Amino acid sequence: MGLIIDDVSVVFPAADGRPPVSALSKINLTIDDDEFVVALGASGCGKSTLLNLIAGFLSPSTGTLNLGGHRVEGPGADRAVVFQKHALLPWLNVLDNVAFGLQIQGVNKAQRYETANKFVGLLGLDGFQKAPVYKLSGGMQQRVGIARALTCDPQILLMDEPLGALDALTREKAQELILRIWRDTHKSIFFITHSVEEALFMGTKLVVMSPRPGRITHTFDLPFSRRYLDGMPARQVKASPEFIRLREDVLKIIFADEEASA
Amino acid sequence: MTQVTPSPRPQAGLIARLSRARPTKPGEIYGVPGQGNTLWLSAFSIALFFAVWWLVTAMGWVKPLFVPAPMTIVTKFFAVWNEGFTGTPFLSHLMISTVRVFGAFLLACVIGLPLGLAMGMSPVMRGLFDPPIEFYRPIPPLAYLPLMIIWFGIGETSKVLLIFLSVFAPIVLGARSGVKSAAIEQIHAAYSFGATRWQVLRFVIMPSAMPEILTAMRVGIGFGWTTLVAAEMVAATKGLGYMVLSASQFLQTPVVIMGIFVIAIIAFAFDLLMRFVERRVVPWKGRM
Ligand SMILES: Nc1ncnc2c1ncn2[C@@H]1O[C@H](COP(=O)(O)OP(=O)(O)OP(=O)(O)O)[C@@H](O)[C@H]1O
Ligand SMILES: [Mg+2]
């Protein structure tokens, strides 16, 4: 069934003498099961707002969102969010952080540790179950966040710049890890990034957004993540002429937006 | 032609050199304000204090009535320890004061922590309870002591209540601002797993408020000891505050000073205990 975003607009009302902000205007987007949709765009074009709508933290001014045939009204366990940072609970160890969603849902201890352990292993965190999360590196913390999001078996994963705070090498490894997890778990993913290369590499569909009012200006279907998952090395995918050509095209679009608004 | 830009002139003056930050030793972080071990300086400052005290009395520069010699205090302590003060054993004085302060403290925690959390969570509670607390908080306890006596008599109630009031405000305010410690991402994460408001409070907001709550408890009990003497002005016949007050009426300066030291040492010991608890309970404080 997937996620269907139908003609959604969001207007933040005027506040502190600032005029109302049209953060999103007439957004139409579907995210099918198994699809990996990446949103890209200049700062302030409404990417996070769109993610908050899907997560149910925000309700649209007009339009509707449907997930699996049900109208989205508030947050729910069928959607899981991976935040950029600050979202883990430092008083819990790695395993308890991963099991947190199941604890909320009242799953008993033995069962939730069993499930959590599975995802701890999947994310390559074996041996760190008892470690305090605040002692982990940024990349490991981010993996804990992803493991936690996966435990409750959501239909769709929502990620707002999840790799933005990582160094280049850790970031590329995390990209590949997320792609493999996406293939293995058959979730759909909505992924926000500022990196054009990351967007092209990860997504099956790319939406490029523009600010004032926030809207989707371009949509691309992408073949690259499939190539990686079919066995082509990541660097080779990213160095292919087709990849580079598309990267420059998308950069041109975004720079044009930046200049228009500057 | 290449332009040669003059390199910045080295800072010459003594002031400039002193006010410049120096590179730190390994293990420290450059530029963190006030970092560095203070243990030796503290030991020195304490030793200096006692040395000056001893010198001033040994040389006879002030009369023993005003400042008795340090040894006199120690002797007095053992005398009171063995013989009691005004017919009551020293340990009874100590016990009754401790019970008053800790009783008031526990009561303030039991009522103040939930109230503070509720005020942090609900604008209704905040609206209702903010004015009375902010009204009485800055008033010195001695000012409303007479009212306590008129309303609650001269028994234990008014004593404990007075201490309670001085502990209560910092605890409520600590719990209330502790509610704000949780990052919005942590709260959103819980909600996205389908958490109820109650679960968010229980699993996210309360644990993340713990550092502030513990600090508030530490500050609160400090206020409690501060108010002890005022509370024991009310027709008390026992207690450390009473001991200090009545000794002062008979110009027994050694007992006054001894009592002050005992109160200071108990308060400090509890402060150390709270810091220990803090390190055990919230080792993650300020780290994420
Ligand atoms: N709560 C709010 N109240 C008022 N305006 C808001 C609010 N949240 C976002 N906005 C405005 O809506 C617009 C879109 O914000 P949003 O955070 O979705 O952008 P973004 O694309 O995620 O940007 P970034 O790439 O910097 O994260 C911005 O102009 C922002 O100022
Ligand atoms: Mg954003």
Side-chain angles (χ1 to χ4, degrees), chain A residues 57 75-77 79 83 85-86 88 90-91 101 103-105 134 148, chain B residues 185-186 188-189 192-193 195 199 203-204 207-208 283-284 287-288:
Chain A
F57 300 138
R79 289 145 288 151
F83 299 87
K85 53 182 181 202
H86 302 313
L88 299 179
W91 50 90
Q103 183 183 19
I104 290 288
Q105 290 167 14
Y134 58 84
R148 175 177 73 178
Chain B
E185 289 89 352
Q186 295 171 323
H188 280 177
S192 77
F193 289 125
Q199 281 179 314
F203 290 118
V204 179
S208 67
W284 47 270
R287 311 224 0 212
M288 238 174 120

PDB file of all heavy atoms in Angstrom, chain A residues 57 75-77 79 83 85-86 88 90-91 101 103-105 134 148, chain B residues 185-186 188-189 192-193 195 199 203-204 207-208 283-284 287-288:
ATOM      1  N   PHE A  57       4.295  14.116  13.833  1.00  0.00           N
ATOM      2  CA  PHE A  57       4.528  15.138  14.844  1.00  0.00           C
ATOM      3  C   PHE A  57       3.828  16.439  14.475  1.00  0.00           C
ATOM      4  O   PHE A  57       3.671  17.324  15.304  1.00  0.00           O
ATOM      5  CB  PHE A  57       6.031  15.416  15.006  1.00  0.00           C
ATOM      6  CG  PHE A  57       6.832  14.218  15.422  1.00  0.00           C
ATOM      7  CD1 PHE A  57       8.057  13.949  14.842  1.00  0.00           C
ATOM      8  CD2 PHE A  57       6.354  13.348  16.394  1.00  0.00           C
ATOM      9  CE1 PHE A  57       8.801  12.844  15.225  1.00  0.00           C
ATOM     10  CE2 PHE A  57       7.088  12.244  16.787  1.00  0.00           C
ATOM     11  CZ  PHE A  57       8.309  11.983  16.196  1.00  0.00           C
ATOM     12  N   PRO A  75       1.880  10.363  15.784  1.00  0.00           N
ATOM     13  CA  PRO A  75       2.957   9.376  15.657  1.00  0.00           C
ATOM     14  C   PRO A  75       2.468   7.964  15.940  1.00  0.00           C
ATOM     15  O   PRO A  75       1.460   7.776  16.607  1.00  0.00           O
ATOM     16  CB  PRO A  75       3.971   9.802  16.719  1.00  0.00           C
ATOM     17  CG  PRO A  75       3.319  10.816  17.572  1.00  0.00           C
ATOM     18  CD  PRO A  75       2.090  11.294  16.894  1.00  0.00           C
ATOM     19  N   GLY A  76       3.162   6.986  15.389  1.00  0.00           N
ATOM     20  CA  GLY A  76       2.774   5.598  15.624  1.00  0.00           C
ATOM     21  C   GLY A  76       3.918   4.664  15.308  1.00  0.00           C
ATOM     22  O   GLY A  76       4.876   5.030  14.619  1.00  0.00           O
ATOM     23  N   ALA A  77       3.811   3.449  15.792  1.00  0.00           N
ATOM     24  CA  ALA A  77       4.913   2.506  15.684  1.00  0.00           C
ATOM     25  C   ALA A  77       5.086   1.957  14.277  1.00  0.00           C
ATOM     26  O   ALA A  77       6.058   1.253  14.003  1.00  0.00           O
ATOM     27  CB  ALA A  77       4.733   1.366  16.676  1.00  0.00           C
ATOM     28  N   ARG A  79       5.758   3.806  11.883  1.00  0.00           N
ATOM     29  CA  ARG A  79       6.824   4.647  11.328  1.00  0.00           C
ATOM     30  C   ARG A  79       7.880   4.829  12.403  1.00  0.00           C
ATOM     31  O   ARG A  79       7.543   5.101  13.547  1.00  0.00           O
ATOM     32  CB  ARG A  79       6.267   6.036  10.961  1.00  0.00           C
ATOM     33  CG  ARG A  79       5.362   6.057   9.768  1.00  0.00           C
ATOM     34  CD  ARG A  79       4.275   7.086   9.954  1.00  0.00           C
ATOM     35  NE  ARG A  79       3.295   6.664  10.944  1.00  0.00           N
ATOM     36  CZ  ARG A  79       2.590   7.490  11.692  1.00  0.00           C
ATOM     37  NH1 ARG A  79       2.740   8.793  11.586  1.00  0.00           N
ATOM     38  NH2 ARG A  79       1.727   7.029  12.584  1.00  0.00           N
ATOM     39  N   PHE A  83      17.051   9.992  14.174  1.00  0.00           N
ATOM     40  CA  PHE A  83      17.357  11.414  14.249  1.00  0.00           C
ATOM     41  C   PHE A  83      18.834  11.663  13.987  1.00  0.00           C
ATOM     42  O   PHE A  83      19.652  10.746  14.041  1.00  0.00           O
ATOM     43  CB  PHE A  83      16.993  11.949  15.629  1.00  0.00           C
ATOM     44  CG  PHE A  83      15.544  11.803  15.959  1.00  0.00           C
ATOM     45  CD1 PHE A  83      15.053  10.638  16.520  1.00  0.00           C
ATOM     46  CD2 PHE A  83      14.652  12.831  15.681  1.00  0.00           C
ATOM     47  CE1 PHE A  83      13.714  10.492  16.828  1.00  0.00           C
ATOM     48  CE2 PHE A  83      13.310  12.692  15.975  1.00  0.00           C
ATOM     49  CZ  PHE A  83      12.833  11.524  16.548  1.00  0.00           C
ATOM     50  N   LYS A  85      20.868  13.457  15.854  1.00  0.00           N
ATOM     51  CA  LYS A  85      21.622  13.259  17.106  1.00  0.00           C
ATOM     52  C   LYS A  85      20.718  13.502  18.291  1.00  0.00           C
ATOM     53  O   LYS A  85      19.544  13.808  18.144  1.00  0.00           O
ATOM     54  CB  LYS A  85      22.832  14.178  17.148  1.00  0.00           C
ATOM     55  CG  LYS A  85      22.486  15.612  16.919  1.00  0.00           C
ATOM     56  CD  LYS A  85      23.728  16.487  16.916  1.00  0.00           C
ATOM     57  CE  LYS A  85      23.247  17.915  16.710  1.00  0.00           C
ATOM     58  NZ  LYS A  85      24.146  18.845  16.221  1.00  0.00           N
ATOM     59  N   HIS A  86      21.284  13.352  19.477  1.00  0.00           N
ATOM     60  CA  HIS A  86      20.614  13.654  20.748  1.00  0.00           C
ATOM     61  C   HIS A  86      19.410  12.782  21.022  1.00  0.00           C
ATOM     62  O   HIS A  86      18.611  13.103  21.876  1.00  0.00           O
ATOM     63  CB  HIS A  86      20.128  15.108  20.805  1.00  0.00           C
ATOM     64  CG  HIS A  86      21.203  16.111  20.619  1.00  0.00           C
ATOM     65  ND1 HIS A  86      22.400  16.025  21.293  1.00  0.00           N
ATOM     66  CD2 HIS A  86      21.284  17.199  19.829  1.00  0.00           C
ATOM     67  CE1 HIS A  86      23.155  17.039  20.929  1.00  0.00           C
ATOM     68  NE2 HIS A  86      22.518  17.756  20.034  1.00  0.00           N
ATOM     69  N   LEU A  88      19.357   9.275  21.588  1.00  0.00           N
ATOM     70  CA  LEU A  88      19.524   8.097  22.438  1.00  0.00           C
ATOM     71  C   LEU A  88      19.354   8.494  23.900  1.00  0.00           C
ATOM     72  O   LEU A  88      19.420   9.669  24.247  1.00  0.00           O
ATOM     73  CB  LEU A  88      20.911   7.474  22.220  1.00  0.00           C
ATOM     74  CG  LEU A  88      21.184   6.979  20.805  1.00  0.00           C
ATOM     75  CD1 LEU A  88      22.591   6.409  20.713  1.00  0.00           C
ATOM     76  CD2 LEU A  88      20.156   5.941  20.385  1.00  0.00           C
ATOM     77  N   PRO A  90      20.974   8.350  27.385  1.00  0.00           N
ATOM     78  CA  PRO A  90      22.306   8.068  27.926  1.00  0.00           C
ATOM     79  C   PRO A  90      22.280   7.253  29.218  1.00  0.00           C
ATOM     80  O   PRO A  90      23.307   6.693  29.596  1.00  0.00           O
ATOM     81  CB  PRO A  90      22.905   9.452  28.165  1.00  0.00           C
ATOM     82  CG  PRO A  90      21.754  10.375  28.234  1.00  0.00           C
ATOM     83  CD  PRO A  90      20.683   9.793  27.371  1.00  0.00           C
ATOM     84  N   TRP A  91      21.133   7.194  29.911  1.00  0.00           N
ATOM     85  CA  TRP A  91      21.105   6.409  31.161  1.00  0.00           C
ATOM     86  C   TRP A  91      20.871   4.920  30.890  1.00  0.00           C
ATOM     87  O   TRP A  91      20.891   4.120  31.806  1.00  0.00           O
ATOM     88  CB  TRP A  91      20.030   6.946  32.111  1.00  0.00           C
ATOM     89  CG  TRP A  91      18.692   7.111  31.469  1.00  0.00           C
ATOM     90  CD1 TRP A  91      17.698   6.174  31.409  1.00  0.00           C
ATOM     91  CD2 TRP A  91      18.193   8.264  30.801  1.00  0.00           C
ATOM     92  NE1 TRP A  91      16.631   6.679  30.719  1.00  0.00           N
ATOM     93  CE2 TRP A  91      16.895   7.960  30.343  1.00  0.00           C
ATOM     94  CE3 TRP A  91      18.714   9.539  30.525  1.00  0.00           C
ATOM     95  CZ2 TRP A  91      16.114   8.873  29.630  1.00  0.00           C
ATOM     96  CZ3 TRP A  91      17.929  10.420  29.827  1.00  0.00           C
ATOM     97  CH2 TRP A  91      16.655  10.097  29.393  1.00  0.00           C
ATOM     98  N   GLY A 101      11.965   0.798  22.221  1.00  0.00           N
ATOM     99  CA  GLY A 101      10.644   0.814  21.579  1.00  0.00           C
ATOM    100  C   GLY A 101       9.783  -0.359  22.028  1.00  0.00           C
ATOM    101  O   GLY A 101       8.578  -0.208  22.261  1.00  0.00           O
ATOM    102  N   GLN A 103      10.076  -1.902  24.845  1.00  0.00           N
ATOM    103  CA  GLN A 103       9.698  -1.666  26.238  1.00  0.00           C
ATOM    104  C   GLN A 103       8.455  -0.774  26.305  1.00  0.00           C
ATOM    105  O   GLN A 103       7.528  -1.046  27.062  1.00  0.00           O
ATOM    106  CB  GLN A 103      10.870  -1.015  26.979  1.00  0.00           C
ATOM    107  CG  GLN A 103      10.587  -0.800  28.452  1.00  0.00           C
ATOM    108  CD  GLN A 103      11.732  -0.079  29.157  1.00  0.00           C
ATOM    109  OE1 GLN A 103      12.564   0.560  28.526  1.00  0.00           O
ATOM    110  NE2 GLN A 103      11.742  -0.182  30.463  1.00  0.00           N
ATOM    111  N   ILE A 104       8.464   0.267  25.479  1.00  0.00           N
ATOM    112  CA  ILE A 104       7.301   1.155  25.419  1.00  0.00           C
ATOM    113  C   ILE A 104       6.048   0.352  25.076  1.00  0.00           C
ATOM    114  O   ILE A 104       4.965   0.592  25.598  1.00  0.00           O
ATOM    115  CB  ILE A 104       7.527   2.260  24.355  1.00  0.00           C
ATOM    116  CG1 ILE A 104       8.601   3.243  24.818  1.00  0.00           C
ATOM    117  CG2 ILE A 104       6.233   2.984  24.030  1.00  0.00           C
ATOM    118  CD1 ILE A 104       8.187   4.157  25.924  1.00  0.00           C
ATOM    119  N   GLN A 105       6.221  -0.636  24.190  1.00  0.00           N
ATOM    120  CA  GLN A 105       5.053  -1.394  23.754  1.00  0.00           C
ATOM    121  C   GLN A 105       4.718  -2.543  24.705  1.00  0.00           C
ATOM    122  O   GLN A 105       3.859  -3.372  24.395  1.00  0.00           O
ATOM    123  CB  GLN A 105       5.281  -1.906  22.337  1.00  0.00           C
ATOM    124  CG  GLN A 105       5.250  -0.729  21.368  1.00  0.00           C
ATOM    125  CD  GLN A 105       5.768  -1.068  19.999  1.00  0.00           C
ATOM    126  OE1 GLN A 105       5.930  -2.240  19.669  1.00  0.00           O
ATOM    127  NE2 GLN A 105       6.019  -0.046  19.216  1.00  0.00           N
ATOM    128  N   TYR A 134      26.875   6.790  25.851  1.00  0.00           N
ATOM    129  CA  TYR A 134      27.606   8.049  25.730  1.00  0.00           C
ATOM    130  C   TYR A 134      29.105   7.829  25.555  1.00  0.00           C
ATOM    131  O   TYR A 134      29.847   8.760  25.316  1.00  0.00           O
ATOM    132  CB  TYR A 134      27.336   8.963  26.939  1.00  0.00           C
ATOM    133  CG  TYR A 134      27.681   8.361  28.280  1.00  0.00           C
ATOM    134  CD1 TYR A 134      28.968   8.396  28.780  1.00  0.00           C
ATOM    135  CD2 TYR A 134      26.694   7.750  29.047  1.00  0.00           C
ATOM    136  CE1 TYR A 134      29.290   7.845  29.991  1.00  0.00           C
ATOM    137  CE2 TYR A 134      26.994   7.184  30.272  1.00  0.00           C
ATOM    138  CZ  TYR A 134      28.301   7.234  30.739  1.00  0.00           C
ATOM    139  OH  TYR A 134      28.606   6.677  31.959  1.00  0.00           O
ATOM    140  N   ARG A 148      17.534   0.635  16.999  1.00  0.00           N
ATOM    141  CA  ARG A 148      16.352   0.912  17.808  1.00  0.00           C
ATOM    142  C   ARG A 148      15.117   1.135  16.926  1.00  0.00           C
ATOM    143  O   ARG A 148      14.027   0.650  17.222  1.00  0.00           O
ATOM    144  CB  ARG A 148      16.599   2.151  18.674  1.00  0.00           C
ATOM    145  CG  ARG A 148      15.379   2.575  19.462  1.00  0.00           C
ATOM    146  CD  ARG A 148      15.662   3.747  20.352  1.00  0.00           C
ATOM    147  NE  ARG A 148      15.794   4.987  19.610  1.00  0.00           N
ATOM    148  CZ  ARG A 148      16.008   6.168  20.163  1.00  0.00           C
ATOM    149  NH1 ARG A 148      16.145   6.258  21.468  1.00  0.00           N
ATOM    150  NH2 ARG A 148      16.097   7.240  19.431  1.00  0.00           N
TER     151      ARG A 148
ATOM    152  N   GLU B 185      14.326  15.430  20.552  1.00  0.00           N
ATOM    153  CA  GLU B 185      14.479  14.190  19.775  1.00  0.00           C
ATOM    154  C   GLU B 185      14.212  12.954  20.633  1.00  0.00           C
ATOM    155  O   GLU B 185      13.629  11.979  20.162  1.00  0.00           O
ATOM    156  CB  GLU B 185      15.890  14.095  19.186  1.00  0.00           C
ATOM    157  CG  GLU B 185      16.184  15.074  18.058  1.00  0.00           C
ATOM    158  CD  GLU B 185      16.719  16.390  18.571  1.00  0.00           C
ATOM    159  OE1 GLU B 185      16.724  16.601  19.814  1.00  0.00           O
ATOM    160  OE2 GLU B 185      17.129  17.230  17.743  1.00  0.00           O
ATOM    161  N   GLN B 186      14.656  12.998  21.890  1.00  0.00           N
ATOM    162  CA  GLN B 186      14.400  11.865  22.780  1.00  0.00           C
ATOM    163  C   GLN B 186      12.907  11.693  23.009  1.00  0.00           C
ATOM    164  O   GLN B 186      12.377  10.578  22.982  1.00  0.00           O
ATOM    165  CB  GLN B 186      15.103  12.085  24.130  1.00  0.00           C
ATOM    166  CG  GLN B 186      16.620  12.096  24.027  1.00  0.00           C
ATOM    167  CD  GLN B 186      17.287  12.520  25.318  1.00  0.00           C
ATOM    168  OE1 GLN B 186      16.796  13.395  26.031  1.00  0.00           O
ATOM    169  NE2 GLN B 186      18.418  11.910  25.637  1.00  0.00           N
ATOM    170  N   HIS B 188      10.484  12.822  21.023  1.00  0.00           N
ATOM    171  CA  HIS B 188       9.864  12.388  19.762  1.00  0.00           C
ATOM    172  C   HIS B 188      10.089  10.900  19.512  1.00  0.00           C
ATOM    173  O   HIS B 188       9.200  10.200  19.037  1.00  0.00           O
ATOM    174  CB  HIS B 188      10.408  13.212  18.597  1.00  0.00           C
ATOM    175  CG  HIS B 188       9.760  14.548  18.471  1.00  0.00           C
ATOM    176  ND1 HIS B 188      10.128  15.478  17.524  1.00  0.00           N
ATOM    177  CD2 HIS B 188       8.761  15.116  19.176  1.00  0.00           C
ATOM    178  CE1 HIS B 188       9.378  16.556  17.653  1.00  0.00           C
ATOM    179  NE2 HIS B 188       8.548  16.361  18.655  1.00  0.00           N
ATOM    180  N   ALA B 189      11.302  10.429  19.828  1.00  0.00           N
ATOM    181  CA  ALA B 189      11.585   9.007  19.627  1.00  0.00           C
ATOM    182  C   ALA B 189      10.599   8.159  20.426  1.00  0.00           C
ATOM    183  O   ALA B 189      10.025   7.200  19.914  1.00  0.00           O
ATOM    184  CB  ALA B 189      13.019   8.692  20.048  1.00  0.00           C
ATOM    185  N   SER B 192       7.194   8.239  18.891  1.00  0.00           N
ATOM    186  CA  SER B 192       7.073   7.524  17.619  1.00  0.00           C
ATOM    187  C   SER B 192       7.002   6.020  17.838  1.00  0.00           C
ATOM    188  O   SER B 192       6.616   5.283  16.939  1.00  0.00           O
ATOM    189  CB  SER B 192       8.215   7.902  16.672  1.00  0.00           C
ATOM    190  OG  SER B 192       9.388   7.248  17.044  1.00  0.00           O
ATOM    191  N   PHE B 193       7.368   5.553  19.032  1.00  0.00           N
ATOM    192  CA  PHE B 193       7.146   4.135  19.344  1.00  0.00           C
ATOM    193  C   PHE B 193       5.760   3.910  19.937  1.00  0.00           C
ATOM    194  O   PHE B 193       5.452   2.822  20.410  1.00  0.00           O
ATOM    195  CB  PHE B 193       8.199   3.630  20.338  1.00  0.00           C
ATOM    196  CG  PHE B 193       9.565   3.497  19.740  1.00  0.00           C
ATOM    197  CD1 PHE B 193      10.645   4.136  20.301  1.00  0.00           C
ATOM    198  CD2 PHE B 193       9.762   2.714  18.609  1.00  0.00           C
ATOM    199  CE1 PHE B 193      11.908   4.017  19.741  1.00  0.00           C
ATOM    200  CE2 PHE B 193      11.018   2.588  18.055  1.00  0.00           C
ATOM    201  CZ  PHE B 193      12.088   3.246  18.621  1.00  0.00           C
ATOM    202  N   ALA B 195       4.432   5.769  22.510  1.00  0.00           N
ATOM    203  CA  ALA B 195       4.380   6.010  23.952  1.00  0.00           C
ATOM    204  C   ALA B 195       3.211   6.920  24.305  1.00  0.00           C
ATOM    205  O   ALA B 195       2.825   7.794  23.524  1.00  0.00           O
ATOM    206  CB  ALA B 195       5.688   6.638  24.429  1.00  0.00           C
ATOM    207  N   GLN B 199       4.068   7.469  29.725  1.00  0.00           N
ATOM    208  CA  GLN B 199       5.309   6.726  29.467  1.00  0.00           C
ATOM    209  C   GLN B 199       6.461   7.669  29.136  1.00  0.00           C
ATOM    210  O   GLN B 199       7.594   7.423  29.541  1.00  0.00           O
ATOM    211  CB  GLN B 199       5.108   5.745  28.316  1.00  0.00           C
ATOM    212  CG  GLN B 199       4.389   4.473  28.727  1.00  0.00           C
ATOM    213  CD  GLN B 199       4.183   3.553  27.554  1.00  0.00           C
ATOM    214  OE1 GLN B 199       3.766   3.992  26.474  1.00  0.00           O
ATOM    215  NE2 GLN B 199       4.474   2.271  27.742  1.00  0.00           N
ATOM    216  N   PHE B 203       9.712   7.339  31.236  1.00  0.00           N
ATOM    217  CA  PHE B 203      10.903   6.739  30.627  1.00  0.00           C
ATOM    218  C   PHE B 203      11.883   7.751  30.035  1.00  0.00           C
ATOM    219  O   PHE B 203      13.018   7.400  29.745  1.00  0.00           O
ATOM    220  CB  PHE B 203      10.506   5.749  29.529  1.00  0.00           C
ATOM    221  CG  PHE B 203       9.850   4.505  30.068  1.00  0.00           C
ATOM    222  CD1 PHE B 203       8.548   4.194  29.724  1.00  0.00           C
ATOM    223  CD2 PHE B 203      10.537   3.661  30.924  1.00  0.00           C
ATOM    224  CE1 PHE B 203       7.931   3.057  30.223  1.00  0.00           C
ATOM    225  CE2 PHE B 203       9.933   2.524  31.424  1.00  0.00           C
ATOM    226  CZ  PHE B 203       8.635   2.219  31.081  1.00  0.00           C
ATOM    227  N   VAL B 204      11.436   8.963  29.791  1.00  0.00           N
ATOM    228  CA  VAL B 204      12.344   9.933  29.179  1.00  0.00           C
ATOM    229  C   VAL B 204      12.538  11.156  30.076  1.00  0.00           C
ATOM    230  O   VAL B 204      13.664  11.505  30.429  1.00  0.00           O
ATOM    231  CB  VAL B 204      11.826  10.380  27.793  1.00  0.00           C
ATOM    232  CG1 VAL B 204      12.767  11.411  27.192  1.00  0.00           C
ATOM    233  CG2 VAL B 204      11.677   9.188  26.871  1.00  0.00           C
ATOM    234  N   PRO B 207      14.007  10.380  33.936  1.00  0.00           N
ATOM    235  CA  PRO B 207      15.443  10.056  33.987  1.00  0.00           C
ATOM    236  C   PRO B 207      16.326  11.217  33.556  1.00  0.00           C
ATOM    237  O   PRO B 207      17.370  11.462  34.159  1.00  0.00           O
ATOM    238  CB  PRO B 207      15.586   8.885  33.012  1.00  0.00           C
ATOM    239  CG  PRO B 207      14.236   8.340  32.834  1.00  0.00           C
ATOM    240  CD  PRO B 207      13.262   9.440  33.099  1.00  0.00           C
ATOM    241  N   SER B 208      15.892  11.950  32.525  1.00  0.00           N
ATOM    242  CA  SER B 208      16.777  13.018  32.069  1.00  0.00           C
ATOM    243  C   SER B 208      16.757  14.195  33.032  1.00  0.00           C
ATOM    244  O   SER B 208      17.660  15.023  33.007  1.00  0.00           O
ATOM    245  CB  SER B 208      16.417  13.463  30.648  1.00  0.00           C
ATOM    246  OG  SER B 208      15.167  14.084  30.651  1.00  0.00           O
ATOM    247  N   PRO B 283      26.122   9.024  35.867  1.00  0.00           N
ATOM    248  CA  PRO B 283      27.486   9.167  35.340  1.00  0.00           C
ATOM    249  C   PRO B 283      27.486   9.824  33.965  1.00  0.00           C
ATOM    250  O   PRO B 283      28.506  10.326  33.523  1.00  0.00           O
ATOM    251  CB  PRO B 283      27.982   7.723  35.257  1.00  0.00           C
ATOM    252  CG  PRO B 283      26.764   6.895  35.166  1.00  0.00           C
ATOM    253  CD  PRO B 283      25.723   7.624  35.982  1.00  0.00           C
ATOM    254  N   TRP B 284      26.344   9.826  33.332  1.00  0.00           N
ATOM    255  CA  TRP B 284      26.243  10.378  31.978  1.00  0.00           C
ATOM    256  C   TRP B 284      26.010  11.872  31.986  1.00  0.00           C
ATOM    257  O   TRP B 284      25.955  12.510  30.932  1.00  0.00           O
ATOM    258  CB  TRP B 284      25.096   9.697  31.231  1.00  0.00           C
ATOM    259  CG  TRP B 284      23.845   9.613  32.054  1.00  0.00           C
ATOM    260  CD1 TRP B 284      23.493   8.596  32.895  1.00  0.00           C
ATOM    261  CD2 TRP B 284      22.795  10.580  32.142  1.00  0.00           C
ATOM    262  NE1 TRP B 284      22.300   8.880  33.509  1.00  0.00           N
ATOM    263  CE2 TRP B 284      21.852  10.080  33.065  1.00  0.00           C
ATOM    264  CE3 TRP B 284      22.567  11.814  31.528  1.00  0.00           C
ATOM    265  CZ2 TRP B 284      20.687  10.775  33.391  1.00  0.00           C
ATOM    266  CZ3 TRP B 284      21.413  12.502  31.855  1.00  0.00           C
ATOM    267  CH2 TRP B 284      20.494  11.975  32.781  1.00  0.00           C
ATOM    268  N   ARG B 287      27.184  14.488  29.343  1.00  0.00           N
ATOM    269  CA  ARG B 287      28.027  13.811  28.373  1.00  0.00           C
ATOM    270  C   ARG B 287      27.312  13.498  27.083  1.00  0.00           C
ATOM    271  O   ARG B 287      27.877  12.878  26.194  1.00  0.00           O
ATOM    272  CB  ARG B 287      28.582  12.513  28.969  1.00  0.00           C
ATOM    273  CG  ARG B 287      29.157  12.747  30.312  1.00  0.00           C
ATOM    274  CD  ARG B 287      30.455  12.126  30.669  1.00  0.00           C
ATOM    275  NE  ARG B 287      31.166  11.310  29.780  1.00  0.00           N
ATOM    276  CZ  ARG B 287      31.920  10.303  30.216  1.00  0.00           C
ATOM    277  NH1 ARG B 287      31.932  10.011  31.501  1.00  0.00           N
ATOM    278  NH2 ARG B 287      32.624   9.613  29.384  1.00  0.00           N
ATOM    279  N   MET B 288      26.017  13.849  26.981  1.00  0.00           N
ATOM    280  CA  MET B 288      25.339  13.594  25.704  1.00  0.00           C
ATOM    281  C   MET B 288      24.329  14.679  25.373  1.00  0.00           C
ATOM    282  O   MET B 288      23.782  15.301  26.218  1.00  0.00           O
ATOM    283  CB  MET B 288      24.634  12.256  25.718  1.00  0.00           C
ATOM    284  CG  MET B 288      25.138  11.369  24.599  1.00  0.00           C
ATOM    285  SD  MET B 288      24.452   9.737  24.707  1.00  0.00           S
ATOM    286  CE  MET B 288      23.614   9.657  23.140  1.00  0.00           C
TER     287      MET B 288
END
